[in-house]
Structures are given as structure tokens and as C-alpha cells.
Amino acid sequence: MGTWDSGPFDNDTAADWCGDLNDADVGKRPMLVREALSRTAGEAGYLEADVACVAIAAAAIVAAQQPGGPEITSSYAPDFLLDGGRLDLPDDLVPLAARALDRIMAADSEWHFLWQDAAGPRNRAFDSVHDLRGVLTAR
């Protein structure tokens, strides 16, 4: 996994998924977000880092669609969102995104292990996930 920073879109896996989301038919985009979140939230075994990276990007997109949600500014996010577009997402994706983030922060998550191992005195990757979760559970 190529990672260059701690944000939701700052790794090869998330950037590739965002490219696929951008290229998908408009009507299929919500389904792709749901699949990314469901795959992570429903994982009972060891959660692979690549799966987690996609879910974090999907959760960031869901959070950005919420009132007061964080603006998406990463050049690795889907172009249609950077150009001011939005997704019409069903309300049930909000709690699903929060569950996916909880799963990512569990002890049996490769993403959690890798960032815990790599973090210095401040863990910006963990902070990013916690901030997203805060937006998703604020309502």
C-alpha cells in the first residue's frame, strides 16, 4: 500500500477506488459507497488494510454530504466532488459508515495495526478517523 499522508484519500488504494467511483454511472455511485462500507462493517475476521482504506474514503464522502461535514479538498478524491458535485445518499449510509469506522479501529484491523505501529506522539490517521466518526454521529 502506497501511503503519502494520513487523510482519507492519501493512499493508492483509496485513490484508485475514488477514480472508479468518479468513472461510475451516476446511479451506481451510491451502491459503490454502500459496498465499500458494508464490506468493512461486516468483516468478522481480520480486516485487511486495503479494504479499510476504501471504507475510510467512502466514510469521508458520506461525512462530507452531512450538514457541517468536512469539505473534500484532496486532489485524490473523486473529481465530481471536487467540482462541487454531490451524491444523493440514503440516510442509512450514515450509521453504516460509523460502524465501518468502528470496525477499522478494532484490534483485528491491519490498518489500525499499521498506523499504530507507525505513529509518533500524535496519530493523525487515528485523529482523521475519529473526526469523521464525530461528524457521522453528531445528529
Side-chain angles (χ1 to χ4, degrees), residues 82-117:
L82 293 171
D83 294 339
R86 294 188 53 82
L87 280 174
D88 185 20
L89 298 174
D91 289 340
D92 70 316
L93 288 186
V94 176
L96 179 60
R99 286 194 313 274
L101 294 177
D102 289 343
R103 180 64 186 87
I104 289 164
M105 294 304 293
D108 58 346
S109 162
E110 182 182 27
W111 183 92
H112 183 269
F113 173 78
L114 292 171
W115 276 104
Q116 184 175 11
D117 192 47

PDB file of all heavy atoms in Angstrom, residues 82-117:
ATOM      1  N   LEU A  82     -14.932  17.227  -6.168  1.00  0.00           N
ATOM      2  CA  LEU A  82     -14.051  18.401  -6.141  1.00  0.00           C
ATOM      3  C   LEU A  82     -14.624  19.539  -6.978  1.00  0.00           C
ATOM      4  O   LEU A  82     -14.392  20.710  -6.687  1.00  0.00           O
ATOM      5  CB  LEU A  82     -12.656  18.033  -6.645  1.00  0.00           C
ATOM      6  CG  LEU A  82     -11.876  17.079  -5.743  1.00  0.00           C
ATOM      7  CD1 LEU A  82     -10.600  16.618  -6.437  1.00  0.00           C
ATOM      8  CD2 LEU A  82     -11.558  17.739  -4.413  1.00  0.00           C
ATOM      9  N   ASP A  83     -15.398  19.178  -7.988  1.00  0.00           N
ATOM     10  CA  ASP A  83     -16.029  20.175  -8.859  1.00  0.00           C
ATOM     11  C   ASP A  83     -17.357  20.683  -8.304  1.00  0.00           C
ATOM     12  O   ASP A  83     -18.098  21.372  -9.010  1.00  0.00           O
ATOM     13  CB  ASP A  83     -16.250  19.586 -10.259  1.00  0.00           C
ATOM     14  CG  ASP A  83     -14.951  19.296 -10.981  1.00  0.00           C
ATOM     15  OD1 ASP A  83     -13.916  19.888 -10.611  1.00  0.00           O
ATOM     16  OD2 ASP A  83     -14.958  18.457 -11.907  1.00  0.00           O
ATOM     17  N   GLY A  84     -17.674  20.327  -7.061  1.00  0.00           N
ATOM     18  CA  GLY A  84     -18.891  20.821  -6.426  1.00  0.00           C
ATOM     19  C   GLY A  84     -20.079  19.890  -6.521  1.00  0.00           C
ATOM     20  O   GLY A  84     -21.163  20.225  -6.056  1.00  0.00           O
ATOM     21  N   GLY A  85     -19.894  18.722  -7.112  1.00  0.00           N
ATOM     22  CA  GLY A  85     -20.987  17.762  -7.213  1.00  0.00           C
ATOM     23  C   GLY A  85     -21.302  17.134  -5.868  1.00  0.00           C
ATOM     24  O   GLY A  85     -20.553  17.275  -4.897  1.00  0.00           O
ATOM     25  N   ARG A  86     -22.422  16.471  -5.817  1.00  0.00           N
ATOM     26  CA  ARG A  86     -22.858  15.790  -4.602  1.00  0.00           C
ATOM     27  C   ARG A  86     -23.360  14.396  -4.972  1.00  0.00           C
ATOM     28  O   ARG A  86     -23.621  14.112  -6.127  1.00  0.00           O
ATOM     29  CB  ARG A  86     -23.968  16.566  -3.906  1.00  0.00           C
ATOM     30  CG  ARG A  86     -23.509  17.916  -3.372  1.00  0.00           C
ATOM     31  CD  ARG A  86     -24.556  18.605  -2.524  1.00  0.00           C
ATOM     32  NE  ARG A  86     -25.112  17.835  -1.431  1.00  0.00           N
ATOM     33  CZ  ARG A  86     -24.544  17.672  -0.230  1.00  0.00           C
ATOM     34  NH1 ARG A  86     -23.377  18.222   0.016  1.00  0.00           N
ATOM     35  NH2 ARG A  86     -25.141  16.973   0.720  1.00  0.00           N
ATOM     36  N   LEU A  87     -23.513  13.588  -3.962  1.00  0.00           N
ATOM     37  CA  LEU A  87     -24.131  12.279  -4.123  1.00  0.00           C
ATOM     38  C   LEU A  87     -25.449  12.281  -3.370  1.00  0.00           C
ATOM     39  O   LEU A  87     -25.533  12.810  -2.263  1.00  0.00           O
ATOM     40  CB  LEU A  87     -23.246  11.183  -3.523  1.00  0.00           C
ATOM     41  CG  LEU A  87     -22.080  10.707  -4.345  1.00  0.00           C
ATOM     42  CD1 LEU A  87     -21.233   9.745  -3.532  1.00  0.00           C
ATOM     43  CD2 LEU A  87     -22.538  10.037  -5.610  1.00  0.00           C
ATOM     44  N   ASP A  88     -26.449  11.695  -3.967  1.00  0.00           N
ATOM     45  CA  ASP A  88     -27.715  11.519  -3.280  1.00  0.00           C
ATOM     46  C   ASP A  88     -27.628  10.184  -2.546  1.00  0.00           C
ATOM     47  O   ASP A  88     -27.862   9.128  -3.134  1.00  0.00           O
ATOM     48  CB  ASP A  88     -28.861  11.535  -4.293  1.00  0.00           C
ATOM     49  CG  ASP A  88     -30.222  11.471  -3.624  1.00  0.00           C
ATOM     50  OD1 ASP A  88     -30.310  11.796  -2.415  1.00  0.00           O
ATOM     51  OD2 ASP A  88     -31.187  11.101  -4.310  1.00  0.00           O
ATOM     52  N   LEU A  89     -27.253  10.253  -1.267  1.00  0.00           N
ATOM     53  CA  LEU A  89     -27.020   9.042  -0.489  1.00  0.00           C
ATOM     54  C   LEU A  89     -28.176   8.769   0.457  1.00  0.00           C
ATOM     55  O   LEU A  89     -28.682   9.690   1.109  1.00  0.00           O
ATOM     56  CB  LEU A  89     -25.729   9.188   0.329  1.00  0.00           C
ATOM     57  CG  LEU A  89     -24.448   9.380  -0.481  1.00  0.00           C
ATOM     58  CD1 LEU A  89     -23.277   9.663   0.440  1.00  0.00           C
ATOM     59  CD2 LEU A  89     -24.180   8.157  -1.342  1.00  0.00           C
ATOM     60  N   PRO A  90     -28.589   7.519   0.573  1.00  0.00           N
ATOM     61  CA  PRO A  90     -29.639   7.171   1.532  1.00  0.00           C
ATOM     62  C   PRO A  90     -29.166   7.422   2.965  1.00  0.00           C
ATOM     63  O   PRO A  90     -27.981   7.284   3.279  1.00  0.00           O
ATOM     64  CB  PRO A  90     -29.888   5.686   1.301  1.00  0.00           C
ATOM     65  CG  PRO A  90     -29.036   5.263   0.169  1.00  0.00           C
ATOM     66  CD  PRO A  90     -28.121   6.375  -0.178  1.00  0.00           C
ATOM     67  N   ASP A  91     -30.095   7.764   3.837  1.00  0.00           N
ATOM     68  CA  ASP A  91     -29.760   8.084   5.230  1.00  0.00           C
ATOM     69  C   ASP A  91     -29.112   6.926   5.970  1.00  0.00           C
ATOM     70  O   ASP A  91     -28.330   7.144   6.892  1.00  0.00           O
ATOM     71  CB  ASP A  91     -31.018   8.526   5.991  1.00  0.00           C
ATOM     72  CG  ASP A  91     -31.513   9.892   5.549  1.00  0.00           C
ATOM     73  OD1 ASP A  91     -30.721  10.658   4.962  1.00  0.00           O
ATOM     74  OD2 ASP A  91     -32.701  10.192   5.798  1.00  0.00           O
ATOM     75  N   ASP A  92     -29.424   5.685   5.591  1.00  0.00           N
ATOM     76  CA  ASP A  92     -28.864   4.554   6.321  1.00  0.00           C
ATOM     77  C   ASP A  92     -27.365   4.382   6.107  1.00  0.00           C
ATOM     78  O   ASP A  92     -26.720   3.612   6.826  1.00  0.00           O
ATOM     79  CB  ASP A  92     -29.610   3.260   5.978  1.00  0.00           C
ATOM     80  CG  ASP A  92     -29.343   2.780   4.566  1.00  0.00           C
ATOM     81  OD1 ASP A  92     -29.349   3.611   3.631  1.00  0.00           O
ATOM     82  OD2 ASP A  92     -29.134   1.557   4.393  1.00  0.00           O
ATOM     83  N   LEU A  93     -26.777   5.115   5.164  1.00  0.00           N
ATOM     84  CA  LEU A  93     -25.325   5.030   4.979  1.00  0.00           C
ATOM     85  C   LEU A  93     -24.570   5.743   6.092  1.00  0.00           C
ATOM     86  O   LEU A  93     -23.406   5.430   6.342  1.00  0.00           O
ATOM     87  CB  LEU A  93     -24.914   5.597   3.621  1.00  0.00           C
ATOM     88  CG  LEU A  93     -25.284   4.752   2.411  1.00  0.00           C
ATOM     89  CD1 LEU A  93     -24.688   5.359   1.141  1.00  0.00           C
ATOM     90  CD2 LEU A  93     -24.840   3.309   2.573  1.00  0.00           C
ATOM     91  N   VAL A  94     -25.217   6.670   6.770  1.00  0.00           N
ATOM     92  CA  VAL A  94     -24.541   7.394   7.855  1.00  0.00           C
ATOM     93  C   VAL A  94     -24.180   6.447   9.007  1.00  0.00           C
ATOM     94  O   VAL A  94     -22.999   6.346   9.375  1.00  0.00           O
ATOM     95  CB  VAL A  94     -25.373   8.605   8.323  1.00  0.00           C
ATOM     96  CG1 VAL A  94     -24.716   9.283   9.517  1.00  0.00           C
ATOM     97  CG2 VAL A  94     -25.559   9.598   7.177  1.00  0.00           C
ATOM     98  N   PRO A  95     -25.133   5.704   9.583  1.00  0.00           N
ATOM     99  CA  PRO A  95     -24.731   4.768  10.648  1.00  0.00           C
ATOM    100  C   PRO A  95     -23.855   3.617  10.129  1.00  0.00           C
ATOM    101  O   PRO A  95     -23.001   3.116  10.864  1.00  0.00           O
ATOM    102  CB  PRO A  95     -26.054   4.264  11.223  1.00  0.00           C
ATOM    103  CG  PRO A  95     -27.089   4.572  10.204  1.00  0.00           C
ATOM    104  CD  PRO A  95     -26.588   5.748   9.421  1.00  0.00           C
ATOM    105  N   LEU A  96     -24.045   3.223   8.878  1.00  0.00           N
ATOM    106  CA  LEU A  96     -23.187   2.179   8.309  1.00  0.00           C
ATOM    107  C   LEU A  96     -21.744   2.676   8.232  1.00  0.00           C
ATOM    108  O   LEU A  96     -20.813   1.936   8.546  1.00  0.00           O
ATOM    109  CB  LEU A  96     -23.697   1.773   6.921  1.00  0.00           C
ATOM    110  CG  LEU A  96     -22.884   0.704   6.195  1.00  0.00           C
ATOM    111  CD1 LEU A  96     -22.844  -0.606   6.988  1.00  0.00           C
ATOM    112  CD2 LEU A  96     -23.464   0.462   4.803  1.00  0.00           C
ATOM    113  N   ALA A  97     -21.550   3.909   7.840  1.00  0.00           N
ATOM    114  CA  ALA A  97     -20.198   4.485   7.784  1.00  0.00           C
ATOM    115  C   ALA A  97     -19.577   4.532   9.173  1.00  0.00           C
ATOM    116  O   ALA A  97     -18.389   4.220   9.345  1.00  0.00           O
ATOM    117  CB  ALA A  97     -20.238   5.869   7.151  1.00  0.00           C
ATOM    118  N   ALA A  98     -20.354   4.901  10.172  1.00  0.00           N
ATOM    119  CA  ALA A  98     -19.833   4.934  11.549  1.00  0.00           C
ATOM    120  C   ALA A  98     -19.435   3.532  12.006  1.00  0.00           C
ATOM    121  O   ALA A  98     -18.378   3.350  12.626  1.00  0.00           O
ATOM    122  CB  ALA A  98     -20.872   5.536  12.488  1.00  0.00           C
ATOM    123  N   ARG A  99     -20.245   2.522  11.681  1.00  0.00           N
ATOM    124  CA  ARG A  99     -19.900   1.138  12.040  1.00  0.00           C
ATOM    125  C   ARG A  99     -18.634   0.676  11.327  1.00  0.00           C
ATOM    126  O   ARG A  99     -17.793  -0.019  11.908  1.00  0.00           O
ATOM    127  CB  ARG A  99     -21.064   0.192  11.732  1.00  0.00           C
ATOM    128  CG  ARG A  99     -22.212   0.297  12.706  1.00  0.00           C
ATOM    129  CD  ARG A  99     -23.199  -0.861  12.618  1.00  0.00           C
ATOM    130  NE  ARG A  99     -23.633  -1.216  11.279  1.00  0.00           N
ATOM    131  CZ  ARG A  99     -24.648  -0.642  10.626  1.00  0.00           C
ATOM    132  NH1 ARG A  99     -25.322   0.347  11.190  1.00  0.00           N
ATOM    133  NH2 ARG A  99     -24.983  -1.051   9.417  1.00  0.00           N
ATOM    134  N   ALA A 100     -18.494   1.063  10.081  1.00  0.00           N
ATOM    135  CA  ALA A 100     -17.281   0.694   9.339  1.00  0.00           C
ATOM    136  C   ALA A 100     -16.043   1.309   9.993  1.00  0.00           C
ATOM    137  O   ALA A 100     -15.013   0.641  10.136  1.00  0.00           O
ATOM    138  CB  ALA A 100     -17.395   1.138   7.882  1.00  0.00           C
ATOM    139  N   LEU A 101     -16.141   2.562  10.402  1.00  0.00           N
ATOM    140  CA  LEU A 101     -15.005   3.207  11.067  1.00  0.00           C
ATOM    141  C   LEU A 101     -14.701   2.538  12.401  1.00  0.00           C
ATOM    142  O   LEU A 101     -13.523   2.368  12.761  1.00  0.00           O
ATOM    143  CB  LEU A 101     -15.264   4.696  11.245  1.00  0.00           C
ATOM    144  CG  LEU A 101     -15.359   5.510   9.954  1.00  0.00           C
ATOM    145  CD1 LEU A 101     -15.682   6.961  10.268  1.00  0.00           C
ATOM    146  CD2 LEU A 101     -14.088   5.392   9.122  1.00  0.00           C
ATOM    147  N   ASP A 102     -15.734   2.151  13.141  1.00  0.00           N
ATOM    148  CA  ASP A 102     -15.511   1.416  14.388  1.00  0.00           C
ATOM    149  C   ASP A 102     -14.769   0.112  14.118  1.00  0.00           C
ATOM    150  O   ASP A 102     -13.859  -0.260  14.860  1.00  0.00           O
ATOM    151  CB  ASP A 102     -16.838   1.103  15.084  1.00  0.00           C
ATOM    152  CG  ASP A 102     -17.500   2.332  15.679  1.00  0.00           C
ATOM    153  OD1 ASP A 102     -16.829   3.380  15.848  1.00  0.00           O
ATOM    154  OD2 ASP A 102     -18.717   2.250  15.970  1.00  0.00           O
ATOM    155  N   ARG A 103     -15.151  -0.574  13.045  1.00  0.00           N
ATOM    156  CA  ARG A 103     -14.505  -1.847  12.696  1.00  0.00           C
ATOM    157  C   ARG A 103     -13.042  -1.632  12.336  1.00  0.00           C
ATOM    158  O   ARG A 103     -12.177  -2.425  12.680  1.00  0.00           O
ATOM    159  CB  ARG A 103     -15.274  -2.488  11.528  1.00  0.00           C
ATOM    160  CG  ARG A 103     -14.698  -3.803  11.071  1.00  0.00           C
ATOM    161  CD  ARG A 103     -14.803  -4.850  12.189  1.00  0.00           C
ATOM    162  NE  ARG A 103     -14.130  -6.069  11.811  1.00  0.00           N
ATOM    163  CZ  ARG A 103     -12.820  -6.325  11.995  1.00  0.00           C
ATOM    164  NH1 ARG A 103     -12.043  -5.423  12.561  1.00  0.00           N
ATOM    165  NH2 ARG A 103     -12.309  -7.478  11.622  1.00  0.00           N
ATOM    166  N   ILE A 104     -12.767  -0.533  11.665  1.00  0.00           N
ATOM    167  CA  ILE A 104     -11.396  -0.208  11.266  1.00  0.00           C
ATOM    168  C   ILE A 104     -10.513   0.058  12.479  1.00  0.00           C
ATOM    169  O   ILE A 104      -9.336  -0.276  12.484  1.00  0.00           O
ATOM    170  CB  ILE A 104     -11.400   1.000  10.301  1.00  0.00           C
ATOM    171  CG1 ILE A 104     -11.974   0.561   8.951  1.00  0.00           C
ATOM    172  CG2 ILE A 104     -10.019   1.615  10.149  1.00  0.00           C
ATOM    173  CD1 ILE A 104     -12.397   1.701   8.056  1.00  0.00           C
ATOM    174  N   MET A 105     -11.105   0.617  13.525  1.00  0.00           N
ATOM    175  CA  MET A 105     -10.330   0.944  14.723  1.00  0.00           C
ATOM    176  C   MET A 105     -10.211  -0.229  15.690  1.00  0.00           C
ATOM    177  O   MET A 105      -9.574  -0.115  16.734  1.00  0.00           O
ATOM    178  CB  MET A 105     -10.953   2.154  15.424  1.00  0.00           C
ATOM    179  CG  MET A 105     -10.864   3.439  14.606  1.00  0.00           C
ATOM    180  SD  MET A 105      -9.183   3.883  14.113  1.00  0.00           S
ATOM    181  CE  MET A 105      -8.453   4.278  15.702  1.00  0.00           C
ATOM    182  N   ALA A 106     -10.770  -1.386  15.351  1.00  0.00           N
ATOM    183  CA  ALA A 106     -10.690  -2.571  16.206  1.00  0.00           C
ATOM    184  C   ALA A 106      -9.286  -3.167  16.178  1.00  0.00           C
ATOM    185  O   ALA A 106      -8.493  -2.918  15.262  1.00  0.00           O
ATOM    186  CB  ALA A 106     -11.717  -3.616  15.755  1.00  0.00           C
ATOM    187  N   ALA A 107      -8.997  -3.954  17.162  1.00  0.00           N
ATOM    188  CA  ALA A 107      -7.661  -4.544  17.297  1.00  0.00           C
ATOM    189  C   ALA A 107      -7.306  -5.493  16.159  1.00  0.00           C
ATOM    190  O   ALA A 107      -6.127  -5.634  15.823  1.00  0.00           O
ATOM    191  CB  ALA A 107      -7.558  -5.277  18.631  1.00  0.00           C
ATOM    192  N   ASP A 108      -8.295  -6.136  15.548  1.00  0.00           N
ATOM    193  CA  ASP A 108      -8.008  -7.091  14.477  1.00  0.00           C
ATOM    194  C   ASP A 108      -8.137  -6.448  13.093  1.00  0.00           C
ATOM    195  O   ASP A 108      -8.641  -7.038  12.157  1.00  0.00           O
ATOM    196  CB  ASP A 108      -8.873  -8.338  14.590  1.00  0.00           C
ATOM    197  CG  ASP A 108     -10.353  -8.043  14.561  1.00  0.00           C
ATOM    198  OD1 ASP A 108     -10.743  -6.871  14.720  1.00  0.00           O
ATOM    199  OD2 ASP A 108     -11.138  -8.996  14.377  1.00  0.00           O
ATOM    200  N   SER A 109      -7.628  -5.234  12.993  1.00  0.00           N
ATOM    201  CA  SER A 109      -7.616  -4.480  11.746  1.00  0.00           C
ATOM    202  C   SER A 109      -6.171  -4.186  11.356  1.00  0.00           C
ATOM    203  O   SER A 109      -5.420  -3.588  12.141  1.00  0.00           O
ATOM    204  CB  SER A 109      -8.385  -3.161  11.947  1.00  0.00           C
ATOM    205  OG  SER A 109      -8.077  -2.229  10.945  1.00  0.00           O
ATOM    206  N   GLU A 110      -5.808  -4.608  10.170  1.00  0.00           N
ATOM    207  CA  GLU A 110      -4.445  -4.357   9.697  1.00  0.00           C
ATOM    208  C   GLU A 110      -4.168  -2.866   9.599  1.00  0.00           C
ATOM    209  O   GLU A 110      -3.078  -2.406   9.940  1.00  0.00           O
ATOM    210  CB  GLU A 110      -4.239  -5.028   8.339  1.00  0.00           C
ATOM    211  CG  GLU A 110      -2.834  -4.862   7.795  1.00  0.00           C
ATOM    212  CD  GLU A 110      -2.644  -5.498   6.431  1.00  0.00           C
ATOM    213  OE1 GLU A 110      -3.631  -5.630   5.664  1.00  0.00           O
ATOM    214  OE2 GLU A 110      -1.492  -5.859   6.125  1.00  0.00           O
ATOM    215  N   TRP A 111      -5.147  -2.081   9.126  1.00  0.00           N
ATOM    216  CA  TRP A 111      -4.975  -0.629   9.028  1.00  0.00           C
ATOM    217  C   TRP A 111      -4.642  -0.054  10.402  1.00  0.00           C
ATOM    218  O   TRP A 111      -3.705   0.732  10.539  1.00  0.00           O
ATOM    219  CB  TRP A 111      -6.237   0.017   8.461  1.00  0.00           C
ATOM    220  CG  TRP A 111      -6.126   1.489   8.256  1.00  0.00           C
ATOM    221  CD1 TRP A 111      -5.731   2.122   7.109  1.00  0.00           C
ATOM    222  CD2 TRP A 111      -6.382   2.528   9.206  1.00  0.00           C
ATOM    223  NE1 TRP A 111      -5.730   3.491   7.308  1.00  0.00           N
ATOM    224  CE2 TRP A 111      -6.127   3.758   8.573  1.00  0.00           C
ATOM    225  CE3 TRP A 111      -6.803   2.535  10.530  1.00  0.00           C
ATOM    226  CZ2 TRP A 111      -6.275   4.979   9.234  1.00  0.00           C
ATOM    227  CZ3 TRP A 111      -6.947   3.747  11.194  1.00  0.00           C
ATOM    228  CH2 TRP A 111      -6.684   4.955  10.543  1.00  0.00           C
ATOM    229  N   HIS A 112      -5.407  -0.455  11.415  1.00  0.00           N
ATOM    230  CA  HIS A 112      -5.176   0.026  12.781  1.00  0.00           C
ATOM    231  C   HIS A 112      -3.779  -0.359  13.251  1.00  0.00           C
ATOM    232  O   HIS A 112      -3.045   0.468  13.799  1.00  0.00           O
ATOM    233  CB  HIS A 112      -6.242  -0.546  13.716  1.00  0.00           C
ATOM    234  CG  HIS A 112      -6.136  -0.060  15.113  1.00  0.00           C
ATOM    235  ND1 HIS A 112      -5.395  -0.712  16.069  1.00  0.00           N
ATOM    236  CD2 HIS A 112      -6.663   1.028  15.708  1.00  0.00           C
ATOM    237  CE1 HIS A 112      -5.478  -0.058  17.208  1.00  0.00           C
ATOM    238  NE2 HIS A 112      -6.241   1.007  17.015  1.00  0.00           N
ATOM    239  N   PHE A 113      -3.410  -1.604  13.017  1.00  0.00           N
ATOM    240  CA  PHE A 113      -2.092  -2.085  13.433  1.00  0.00           C
ATOM    241  C   PHE A 113      -0.973  -1.298  12.757  1.00  0.00           C
ATOM    242  O   PHE A 113      -0.013  -0.872  13.405  1.00  0.00           O
ATOM    243  CB  PHE A 113      -1.961  -3.578  13.121  1.00  0.00           C
ATOM    244  CG  PHE A 113      -0.578  -4.109  13.360  1.00  0.00           C
ATOM    245  CD1 PHE A 113      -0.127  -4.385  14.636  1.00  0.00           C
ATOM    246  CD2 PHE A 113       0.292  -4.305  12.288  1.00  0.00           C
ATOM    247  CE1 PHE A 113       1.162  -4.851  14.854  1.00  0.00           C
ATOM    248  CE2 PHE A 113       1.579  -4.781  12.495  1.00  0.00           C
ATOM    249  CZ  PHE A 113       2.014  -5.046  13.786  1.00  0.00           C
ATOM    250  N   LEU A 114      -1.089  -1.093  11.442  1.00  0.00           N
ATOM    251  CA  LEU A 114      -0.035  -0.397  10.712  1.00  0.00           C
ATOM    252  C   LEU A 114       0.113   1.054  11.170  1.00  0.00           C
ATOM    253  O   LEU A 114       1.227   1.541  11.339  1.00  0.00           O
ATOM    254  CB  LEU A 114      -0.307  -0.457   9.212  1.00  0.00           C
ATOM    255  CG  LEU A 114      -0.203  -1.841   8.573  1.00  0.00           C
ATOM    256  CD1 LEU A 114      -0.709  -1.808   7.139  1.00  0.00           C
ATOM    257  CD2 LEU A 114       1.228  -2.356   8.642  1.00  0.00           C
ATOM    258  N   TRP A 115      -1.013   1.737  11.361  1.00  0.00           N
ATOM    259  CA  TRP A 115      -0.930   3.132  11.797  1.00  0.00           C
ATOM    260  C   TRP A 115      -0.514   3.247  13.255  1.00  0.00           C
ATOM    261  O   TRP A 115       0.178   4.189  13.631  1.00  0.00           O
ATOM    262  CB  TRP A 115      -2.244   3.861  11.537  1.00  0.00           C
ATOM    263  CG  TRP A 115      -2.300   4.360  10.128  1.00  0.00           C
ATOM    264  CD1 TRP A 115      -3.014   3.825   9.096  1.00  0.00           C
ATOM    265  CD2 TRP A 115      -1.586   5.471   9.580  1.00  0.00           C
ATOM    266  NE1 TRP A 115      -2.788   4.538   7.941  1.00  0.00           N
ATOM    267  CE2 TRP A 115      -1.916   5.553   8.220  1.00  0.00           C
ATOM    268  CE3 TRP A 115      -0.697   6.397  10.107  1.00  0.00           C
ATOM    269  CZ2 TRP A 115      -1.404   6.536   7.373  1.00  0.00           C
ATOM    270  CZ3 TRP A 115      -0.174   7.385   9.268  1.00  0.00           C
ATOM    271  CH2 TRP A 115      -0.525   7.438   7.922  1.00  0.00           C
ATOM    272  N   GLN A 116      -0.914   2.303  14.069  1.00  0.00           N
ATOM    273  CA  GLN A 116      -0.493   2.326  15.467  1.00  0.00           C
ATOM    274  C   GLN A 116       1.013   2.123  15.549  1.00  0.00           C
ATOM    275  O   GLN A 116       1.696   2.790  16.322  1.00  0.00           O
ATOM    276  CB  GLN A 116      -1.222   1.243  16.255  1.00  0.00           C
ATOM    277  CG  GLN A 116      -0.914   1.248  17.729  1.00  0.00           C
ATOM    278  CD  GLN A 116      -1.754   0.221  18.471  1.00  0.00           C
ATOM    279  OE1 GLN A 116      -2.418  -0.620  17.875  1.00  0.00           O
ATOM    280  NE2 GLN A 116      -1.733   0.283  19.776  1.00  0.00           N
ATOM    281  N   ASP A 117       1.506   1.227  14.726  1.00  0.00           N
ATOM    282  CA  ASP A 117       2.930   0.925  14.707  1.00  0.00           C
ATOM    283  C   ASP A 117       3.752   2.083  14.151  1.00  0.00           C
ATOM    284  O   ASP A 117       4.854   2.340  14.596  1.00  0.00           O
ATOM    285  CB  ASP A 117       3.159  -0.343  13.877  1.00  0.00           C
ATOM    286  CG  ASP A 117       4.554  -0.891  14.044  1.00  0.00           C
ATOM    287  OD1 ASP A 117       5.015  -0.990  15.189  1.00  0.00           O
ATOM    288  OD2 ASP A 117       5.175  -1.222  13.013  1.00  0.00           O
TER     289      ASP A 117
END
